[in-house]
């Protein structure tokens, strides 16, 4: 693979992936284009990942490091996720078993809050074996006047243009993410369009298209880990998850000022470079426009949405999640297979 410029060979140059974890998954490169290259909008309109370079979308946030945030938000308590190891598995608290059952659920990650200064101290003094920390803070008026000013100076014209030409719905939130080196957000999908921006450090993202749903084995929709792959990428259990061996991914390294477009329903695993400084990223989550008139053939993400709705309806109708598998097997086995 020659190291030519992205614009010449369609962004296929190899990324330098030293410092990231090795998985036994075949990976292609996510194409990388300059922000003014027309191919960027071609990929977004086809709902395919693309890495966009050289945009000034969040120029005013490029100075957001922990010193600056500590100085301009000295007393704010920020949300910090704490994990026993490098995996930060999202837990939907609303779907945790209530009552006495709840103490059976081994809580791998928990939420805490602290100031940016405390967070900085903790990650500076971190040593192997300590709990790991991941700061995530929704950007809203609580981040204080200075960060609000920086936020208002984003290149909203560029973002609004993307939102308009691709028919996205409203911007729902911006999540500011400050991660220790080596933290991993395990593979999952979200139901929103995502412009994921690098501010500091390097993050590696592994993506799979929605149609590989049957290779990545999400748990039942009622599970607290809904939308997350059950497969441990570092030690895949191919007896339980045999089709994981057929998973084919794409990879991108998101550096300072890069924007990775993560299409809705695309699976993504994101990790911060190991033995490197902490990373700072910011995402832009957009609802997608409600499907006015259904067009056939259906897109793969629409089929995943259909599967989710069927699963919810059957579980709701049976009022007992344990009966769902039996009923679905009776529907399909020997009849559609
Ligand atoms: C792991 C963490 C901190 C978390 C804990 C508990 C509840 C929610 C979340 C949550 C949500 C989004 C991200 C950002 C990103 C992954 C990444 O950059 O690590 C990503 O997946 C996306 O932008 O869609 C990260 C997290
Ligand atoms: Zn996500």
């Amino acid at each position: 693979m020659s190291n030519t410029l992205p614009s010449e060979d369609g962004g296929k140059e190899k990324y330098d992936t030293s410092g990231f974890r090795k998985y036994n998954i075949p990976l292609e490169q996510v194409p990388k284009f300059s922000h003014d290259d027309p191919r960027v909008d071609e990929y977004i309109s086809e709902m395919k990942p693309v890495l966009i370079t050289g945009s000034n979308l969040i120029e005013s946030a490029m100075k957001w490091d922990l010193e600056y945030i500590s100085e301009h938000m000295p007393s704010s308590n920020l949300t910090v996720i704490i994990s026993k190891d490098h995996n930060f598995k999202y837990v939907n608290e609303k779907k945790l078993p209530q009552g006495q059952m709840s103490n059976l659920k081994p809580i791998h990650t928990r939420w805490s809050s602290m100031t940016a200064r405390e967070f900085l101290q903790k990650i500076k003094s971190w040593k192997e074996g300590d709990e790991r920390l991941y700061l995530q803070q929704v950007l809203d008026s609580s981040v204080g006047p200075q960060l609000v000013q920086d936020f208002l100076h984003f290149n909203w014209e560029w973002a609004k243009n993307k939102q308009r030409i691709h028919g996205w719905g409203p911007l729902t939130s911006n999540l500011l993410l400050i991660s220790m080196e080596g933290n991993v957000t395990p593979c999952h999908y979200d139901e929103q369009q995502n412009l994921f921006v690098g501010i500091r450090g390097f993050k590696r993202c592994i993506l799979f298209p929605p149609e590989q749903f049957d290779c990545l084995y999400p748990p039942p929709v009622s599970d607290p880990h809904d939308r997350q792959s059950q497969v441990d990428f570092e030690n895949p259990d191919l007896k339980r998850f045999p089709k994981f061996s057929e998973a084919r991914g794409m990879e991108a390294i998101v550096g300072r000022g890069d924007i990775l477009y993560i299409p809705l329903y695309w699976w993504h695993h994101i990790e911060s470079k190991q033995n490197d400084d902490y990373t700072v990223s910011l995402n832009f989550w957009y609802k997608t426009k409600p499907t006015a008139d259904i067009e056939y053939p259906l897109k793969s993400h629409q089929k995943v949405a259909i599967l989710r709705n069927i699963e919810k309806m059957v579980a709701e109708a049976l009022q007992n999640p344990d009966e769902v598998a039996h009923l679905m097997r009776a529907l399909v086995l020997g009849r559609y297979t």
Side-chain angles (χ1 to χ4, degrees):
M1 194 66 73
S2 62
N3 268 331
T4 52
L5 289 172
S7 51
E8 284 158 23
D9 74 341
K12 291 282 186 287
E13 89 288 2
K14 289 287 281 177
Y15 294 103
D16 167 17
T17 58
S18 57
F20 293 103
R21 300 169 193 272
K22 301 281 175 278
Y23 304 112
N24 180 20
I25 303 169
L27 298 172
E28 273 184 35
Q29 308 301 307
V30 170
K32 182 173 181 177
F33 299 116
S34 170
H35 64 99
D36 49 5
D37 187 315
R39 285 172 289 186
V40 167
D41 284 319
E42 280 171 29
Y43 275 78
I44 297 178
S45 59
E46 286 168 25
M47 288 186 40
K48 289 156 85 175
V50 60
L51 189 71
I52 305 160
T53 60
S55 124
N56 63 356
L57 172 60
I58 60 168
E59 194 55 43
S60 52
M62 285 301 146
K63 54 186 180 288
W64 287 5
D65 61 17
L66 279 165
E67 306 295 347
Y68 180 85
I69 294 170
S70 304
E71 188 185 326
H72 292 285
M73 290 174 64
S75 52
S76 303
N77 266 337
L78 307 172
T79 306
V80 173
I81 314 297
I82 298 173
S83 178
K84 293 190 173 63
D85 69 16
H86 55 272
N87 286 312
F88 282 76
K89 274 203 99 152
Y90 166 61
V91 181
N92 182 335
E93 313 272 328
K94 293 193 288 294
K95 294 181 178 176
L96 275 174
Q98 304 311 319
Q100 82 291 342
M101 277 276 288
S102 55
N103 58 20
L104 301 180
K105 193 102 184 136
I107 291 293
H108 186 88
T109 54
R110 66 181 204 280
W111 298 56
S112 173
S113 66
M114 60 185 81
T115 64
R117 180 77 60 200
E118 284 168 320
F119 178 79
L120 178 56
Q121 292 313 329
K122 282 181 181 288
I123 64 175
K124 271 185 174 166
S125 59
W126 186 85
K127 56 191 183 313
E128 198 59 46
D130 288 355
E131 289 182 321
R132 282 173 165 269
L133 308 175
Y134 200 147
L135 186 151
Q136 55 137 314
Q137 180 63 36
V138 175
L139 285 195
D140 54 25
S141 53
S142 73
V143 294
Q146 182 55 55
L147 269 78
V148 166
Q149 271 312 307
D150 297 337
F151 177 84
L152 294 174
H153 285 91
F154 288 178
N155 182 345
W156 289 109
E157 189 221 336
W158 189 89
K160 286 194 168 53
N161 179 49
K162 288 290 172 270
Q163 191 181 8
R164 184 177 46 77
I165 58 179
H166 297 295
W168 294 347
L171 173 70
T172 55
S173 65
N174 293 94
L175 204 54
L176 175 63
L177 298 140
I178 305 181
S179 170
M180 282 179 59
E181 59 78 36
N183 283 0
V184 173
T185 298
C187 193
H188 68 282
Y189 66 90
D190 300 303
E191 294 170 281
Q192 307 211 28
Q193 305 283 12
N194 185 350
L195 290 176
F196 184 85
V197 195
I199 293 174
R200 178 193 175 94
F202 294 94
K203 269 183 168 175
R204 184 259 205 120
C205 186
I206 298 176
L207 298 127
F208 303 89
E211 57 267 24
Q212 292 193 24
F213 183 89
D214 52 358
C215 303
L216 290 159
Y217 302 89
V221 288
S222 57
D223 188 285
H225 294 305
D226 176 24
R227 291 183 289 113
Q228 296 172 54
S229 173
Q230 296 176 96
V231 182
D232 174 358
F233 279 16
E234 292 172 81
N235 181 23
D237 178 347
L238 295 181
K239 285 192 182 37
R240 279 185 68 196
F241 312 121
K243 284 181 72 76
F244 181 67
S245 59
E246 298 168 31
R248 301 283 176 272
M250 299 187 80
E251 178 183 54
I253 305 292
V254 181
R256 183 173 172 77
D258 293 341
I259 304 172
L260 175 62
Y261 167 56
I262 305 176
L264 90 162
Y265 281 95
W266 270 67
W267 297 85
H268 47 288
H269 152 112
I270 299 186
E271 57 184 282
S272 291
K273 189 167 182 176
Q274 289 182 282
N275 306 313
D276 201 5
D277 214 339
Y278 62 87
T279 62
V280 181
S281 350
L282 181 68
N283 72 13
F284 290 65
W285 268 320
Y286 291 89
K287 278 199 189 319
T288 194
K289 77 174 181 294
T291 313
D293 43 359
I294 305 270
E295 282 170 32
Y296 289 90
L298 292 177
K299 292 189 177 65
S300 53
H301 79 274
Q302 290 174 310
K303 292 177 188 170
V304 172
I306 289 168
L307 276 181
R308 283 182 66 82
N309 288 334
I310 289 173
E311 196 180 327
K312 286 176 186 169
M313 279 181 347
V314 170
E316 176 65 29
L318 292 177
Q319 286 296 306
N320 173 5
D322 300 342
E323 290 182 45
V324 172
H326 176 260
L327 193 92
M328 304 294 261
R329 267 195 289 270
L331 174 77
V332 167
L333 297 183
R335 302 183 61 239
Y336 286 85
T337 56

